Amino acid sequence: MKIAERGNPAMRSWLDRQGLRLVAKPYLSGAFATQQLLERLTVEKAPLRELTAGYGGGVNSGPLFRRVYVSTPEHSVPFVGSKDMLVADLSSLPRLKKTDAESSSLHYLELQPGMTMISRSGFNAGRRAYVRPDMEGYWSSEDVIKVTPDQNKIKPGYLYTFLSSRFGEVLVRGGVYGSAIRHIAPDHIEEIRVPRFGEAVEKEIHELMEEAASLRAAYQSGVHQATRDLFETAGLGDLLDLRWHEQGRDLGFAQRGLDTTTLRPLNFQPRARKILRRLGEVEHVTLGEFCKGGQMSRGLRFPRVDGEPGDTYSYRLVGQRQAFWLRPEGRWISKAHTSKDVLAEDETVLIASQGTLGENEVYGRALFAAGSWRSFAFSEHFLRVRPGLAGYSGAYLFAFLRSECVFRVLRSCSTGGKQQDIHPELCAAIPVPALAGEDRERIAETVRQAHSQRDEADRKEDRALLRLEEAVAQHAGVTS
């Protein structure tokens, strides 16, 4: 008999609880060991299906359907997939045709604040995310399981905290099956038993998670407002409503004055050149001038030597895939074998600079390294941009580089074959609006405040998880 642990063999009764599935992972993943720990708790435990309400009993995913994407906000709704639910900045989500979303077959896919989302297929199967206040009116894909708590029975923040904890981790992921493409089904998690620690503890955990969700919504609003403020103050408000895909494809154009820098048609695409001309009409400095004395180069290449998890002896390595998540989960690498140059200096803008041109790929997107993010080791696949020009800050530059129009310009600077890279000379020529000092500082402070709120949200979420750990330890008679 295959055993998960000595003295803890797989039992026949376990097969019944997993629908007679003969896949080994649920029995060897730690899920049943965690269930046994939770069963020792001296508190009431209720199946998840008894704590939810709504369509399909409150634990559901959607049907397969033909997706029609629309770029006009008035005729579409933001559409969240299994990867999108993990990201911090939701401003670049694809948009689903509104009449389809509100149809009788898809209306129940609408997200409501307080729901828990669980990715149900692919590389990210089993990951969890909390629906924030600013996600009201978004729609989820069929690849997302929604858990809708019955708020007369359980508080949403507490339920999410349990499902996202190390206890919920193994219970949810213990139901993942498949080889090439992994899956999880709603009925595989409906029987998860949720411990009830009483009104006071659950309320405390719920309020911490709700505060974290509100702070993340404030972060989203803050970075969006900083970008809008910059473009409107510069007299470039028309670039905020870009509607890139409504402008038609770049076909049949001629380009004069070529030199040896590039002969690639993509680098001269008319839609991007139109943006560049518009940016050049206002007072500006080029990105190369902006970064003179600072940095505009790719990161350091370095060997990855695994280290002990934790900040004492290791750095958390963050690559392009996870850098845009709310909470990156990269591997830990040894500090003893890694140069400090892998860290980003305060207020460095990091641009994902290698990848493909797919609409949902992160290639060309920008993020901001400040606060707790300065402790991460970033891979060499980021273009690191840091100002050297007096009076200009990285926070101000981030508000510019995160915009949709600059994202399109950065992609037009691509070089390479299947894997694209950003051409440094073309990138350096991008005009950056040169606003008055007080305007620059106001915009930069908005960005800094938004990222401070994001860090505070992470701390509150950590406190909620710690409080849950303490409650489990107290009622199980073990240390967490």
Side-chain angles (χ1 to χ4, degrees):
M1 178 185 295
K2 178 69 175 180
I3 59 174
E5 296 175 3
R6 188 173 298 278
N8 184 27
M11 307 298 291
R12 172 62 179 79
S13 60
W14 293 5
L15 300 178
D16 292 330
R17 293 164 63 180
Q18 287 290 321
L20 297 178
R21 289 166 56 203
L22 298 180
V23 180
K25 184 174 180 179
Y27 314 110
L28 305 178
S29 63
F32 282 94
T34 299
Q35 287 177 350
Q36 289 176 344
L37 169 63
L38 296 177
E39 285 171 3
R40 292 204 303 270
L41 295 176
T42 58
V43 296
E44 175 192 356
K45 295 170 285 292
L48 181 60
R49 57 180 166 74
E50 295 182 2
L51 302 173
T52 57
Y55 186 90
V59 182
N60 63 80
S61 60
L64 289 171
F65 63 94
R66 183 173 64 94
R67 302 176 183 183
V68 178
Y69 294 113
V70 180
S71 57
T72 51
E74 59 268 29
H75 299 300
S76 61
V77 295
F79 188 57
V80 180
S82 58
K83 290 192 300 183
D84 304 318
M85 61 179 252
L86 301 171
V87 302
D89 188 345
L90 302 171
S91 58
S92 61
L93 290 178
R95 303 187 69 90
L96 188 68
K97 187 178 178 182
K98 192 171 186 178
T99 53
D100 289 350
E102 294 177 345
S103 66
S104 59
S105 60
L106 300 180
H107 70 92
Y108 64 90
L109 298 182
E110 183 178 5
L111 297 176
Q112 298 294 337
M115 286 180 171
T116 294
M117 296 181 287
I118 301 175
S119 53
R120 66 177 293 266
S121 66
F123 175 83
N124 297 310
R127 296 189 184 276
R128 286 83 60 215
Y130 194 56
V131 179
R132 311 179 324 223
D134 58 325
M135 297 175 71
E136 185 171 8
Y138 288 28
W139 255 251
S140 64
S141 77
E142 70 274 12
D143 296 319
V144 175
I145 297 173
K146 298 191 301 300
V147 179
T148 307
D150 183 342
Q151 299 196 33
N152 294 319
K153 298 179 179 179
I154 193 168
K155 295 188 179 298
Y158 168 71
L159 178 59
Y160 169 75
T161 301
F162 174 74
L163 292 175
S164 66
S165 69
R166 66 183 179 94
F167 310 108
E169 170 84 12
V170 294
L171 295 176
V172 170
R173 291 204 167 193
V176 173
Y177 65 95
S179 54
I181 301 177
R182 299 188 296 175
H183 287 82
I184 187 170
D187 57 343
H188 295 156
I189 63 173
E190 287 178 340
E191 296 303 319
I192 290 176
R193 296 177 65 79
V194 181
R196 310 305 306 274
F197 294 110
E199 175 69 19
V201 172
E202 293 184 10
K203 181 180 179 182
E204 178 185 357
I205 293 172
H206 164 75
E207 289 178 348
L208 285 168
M209 189 54 64
E210 280 290 292
E211 290 169 8
S214 296
L215 285 166
R216 285 169 178 154
Y219 158 80
Q220 176 75 80
S221 175
V223 294
H224 175 77
Q225 179 55 37
T227 298
R228 176 167 292 278
D229 189 0
L230 189 156
F231 278 82
E232 290 181 345
T233 303
L236 298 169
D238 53 300
L239 292 180
L240 292 170
D241 188 21
L242 188 61
R243 306 204 178 191
W244 178 262
H245 295 292
E246 295 179 26
Q247 298 179 33
R249 298 181 65 185
D250 299 302
L251 300 174
F253 62 91
Q255 180 66 35
R256 306 285 183 182
L258 299 176
D259 58 29
T260 56
T261 302
T262 178
L263 297 175
R264 189 180 188 186
L266 175 64
N267 301 145
F268 302 102
Q269 62 178 154
R271 286 179 292 175
R273 305 295 283 189
K274 181 180 178 181
I275 296 171
L276 288 169
R277 286 194 298 271
R278 186 71 181 91
L279 292 171
E281 291 173 1
V282 301
E283 185 178 355
H284 66 273
V285 294
T286 66
L287 186 58
E289 294 169 338
F290 195 103
C291 297
K292 189 175 181 179
Q295 182 182 13
M296 191 172 69
S297 62
R298 284 272 296 279
L300 177 71
R301 292 189 178 187
F302 56 95
R304 274 78 158 163
V305 178
D306 289 336
E308 180 182 346
D311 294 329
T312 305
Y313 301 107
S314 304
Y315 297 125
R316 186 186 290 277
L317 175 62
V318 177
Q320 289 184 136
R321 184 201 301 273
Q322 296 187 347
F324 296 87
W325 291 5
L326 276 169
R327 306 295 297 268
E329 299 175 4
R331 62 193 274 196
W332 292 93
I333 58 172
S334 171
K335 289 183 178 180
H337 296 87
T338 308
S339 168
K340 288 187 177 181
D341 290 338
V342 301
L343 305 177
E345 292 193 28
D346 193 27
E347 298 204 358
T348 296
V349 181
L350 301 165
I351 301 173
S353 64
Q354 281 195 325
T356 58
L357 296 170
E359 279 298 301
N360 296 326
E361 302 298 328
V362 298
Y363 171 64
R365 297 288 179 190
L367 62 94
F368 187 60
S372 64
W373 283 62
R374 292 179 61 195
S375 66
F376 294 151
F378 292 96
S379 72
E380 70 273 15
H381 305 296
F382 292 96
L383 179 65
R384 300 180 180 221
V385 183
R386 183 166 43 83
L389 189 62
Y392 289 80
S393 65
Y396 174 79
L397 182 60
F398 171 72
F400 174 72
L401 291 176
R402 69 171 294 277
S403 65
E404 181 67 16
C405 63
V406 178
F407 164 71
R408 297 298 175 181
V409 169
L410 285 169
R411 285 203 163 185
S412 77
C413 297
S414 296
T415 181
K418 169 62 176 175
Q419 287 293 320
Q420 302 295 304
D421 204 340
I422 294 177
H423 195 299
E425 291 185 45
L426 298 177
C427 181
I430 296 174
V432 181
L435 301 183
E438 60 182 17
D439 293 327
R440 297 197 304 268
E441 185 55 33
R442 180 185 68 253
I443 292 164
E445 191 54 38
T446 302
V447 170
R448 294 180 186 120
Q449 177 64 23
H451 283 80
S452 176
Q453 290 170 321
R454 179 176 175 177
D455 278 352
E456 181 62 20
D458 291 347
R459 287 190 287 270
K460 287 187 179 293
E461 182 177 36
D462 290 342
R463 285 172 55 193
L465 289 167
L466 177 61
R467 186 67 186 92
L468 178 69
E469 292 268 0
E470 292 172 348
V472 170
Q474 176 183 352
H475 291 279
V478 297
T479 58
S480 61

